[in-house]
Amino acid sequence: MISHDDVFKIGRIGKIHGVKGEVTFHFTDDVFDRTDADYLFLEVDGILVPFFFEEYRFRNDDTALVKFEGIDSAEKATELTGCDVFFARELVGDNDGELTWNEIVGFHITDAQTGKDVGEISGIDLSTINTLFEVVTPEGTSLLVPATDDFIDDIDREQRLITMRLPEGLLEL
């Protein structure tokens, strides 16, 4: 069974399109520019389920119309609306060493000075000029950490760990 550690979120299924089972897919990652895949994972009732493409076409820079195999009516397509969409990490390769923001979600941050687990990255905030990691601490509180190269010492893909040299006092904010 596939786990959330094996995938990363790339978007969400929107509304149905037509009567033959097509749906809109709003994506937040450019994974289709980097690799090809025959399927995506949709989170249905908390379970990651693979859905194979019958066909798809891009509508604009962040939306595609998708027809999945076995989804051949508006009624069946309606069951998929609102589902989060995930992509298998193993299909991405190493992208010349580059990680996308969506791939980093789920990584842990460790403070290089103390070795302390800062927390798990739960999201990426791109709404400001400075990109921020949204982090859930081991205590369950939320924290925003600047996602700048100046603070990052190391990224370990295998361990899903980012070691950062954080400014003094940042964790107390």
Side-chain angles (χ1 to χ4, degrees):
M1 186 156 144
I2 190 107
S3 77
H4 279 86
D5 289 339
D6 301 323
V7 297
F8 61 97
K9 185 176 175 183
I10 63 168
R12 189 174 191 91
I13 298 295
K15 59 185 179 178
I16 61 172
H17 182 81
V19 295
K20 295 185 180 180
E22 205 170 37
V23 293
T24 58
F25 167 40
H26 304 286
F27 50 92
T28 57
D29 191 290
D30 65 350
V31 70
F32 297 107
D33 292 340
R34 301 187 317 272
T35 189
D36 290 325
D38 297 328
Y39 62 93
L40 297 172
F41 289 96
L42 274 61
E43 188 170 32
V44 180
D45 296 328
I47 299 171
L48 293 170
V49 180
F51 282 84
F52 287 82
F53 292 116
E54 189 171 303
E55 63 181 277
Y56 67 89
R57 63 188 185 280
F58 292 99
R59 198 174 200 184
N60 56 41
D61 289 342
D62 60 2
T63 304
L65 297 175
V66 178
K67 173 80 171 67
F68 292 113
E69 290 180 5
I71 306 297
D72 54 8
S73 68
E75 291 78 28
K76 285 185 180 179
T78 299
E79 296 174 16
L80 303 180
T81 61
C83 288
D84 287 334
V85 180
F86 296 84
F87 198 83
R89 290 182 192 281
E90 69 181 9
L91 297 178
V92 177
D94 70 358
N95 297 326
D96 299 324
E98 295 292 319
L99 284 168
T100 67
W101 292 124
N102 288 338
E103 289 177 271
I104 290 175
V105 172
F107 277 50
H108 274 261
I109 296 177
T110 299
D111 186 344
Q113 286 99 341
T114 65
K116 177 184 169 192
D117 179 21
V118 175
E120 182 177 336
I121 299 172
S122 62
I124 307 295
D125 183 345
L126 301 169
S127 66
T128 65
I129 195 163
N130 297 315
T131 301
L132 301 168
F133 293 136
E134 298 170 355
V135 178
V136 176
T137 68
E139 296 80 30
T141 60
S142 294
L143 178 68
L144 294 174
V145 176
T148 175
D149 288 337
D150 295 340
F151 295 165
I152 297 174
D153 278 358
D154 184 55
I155 298 175
D156 184 336
R157 284 178 175 233
E158 295 265 327
Q159 297 293 316
R160 297 179 42 118
L161 181 68
I162 300 175
T163 305
M164 297 184 77
R165 194 163 301 281
L166 300 171
E168 192 172 321
L170 179 73
L171 299 178
E172 285 79 41
L173 292 177

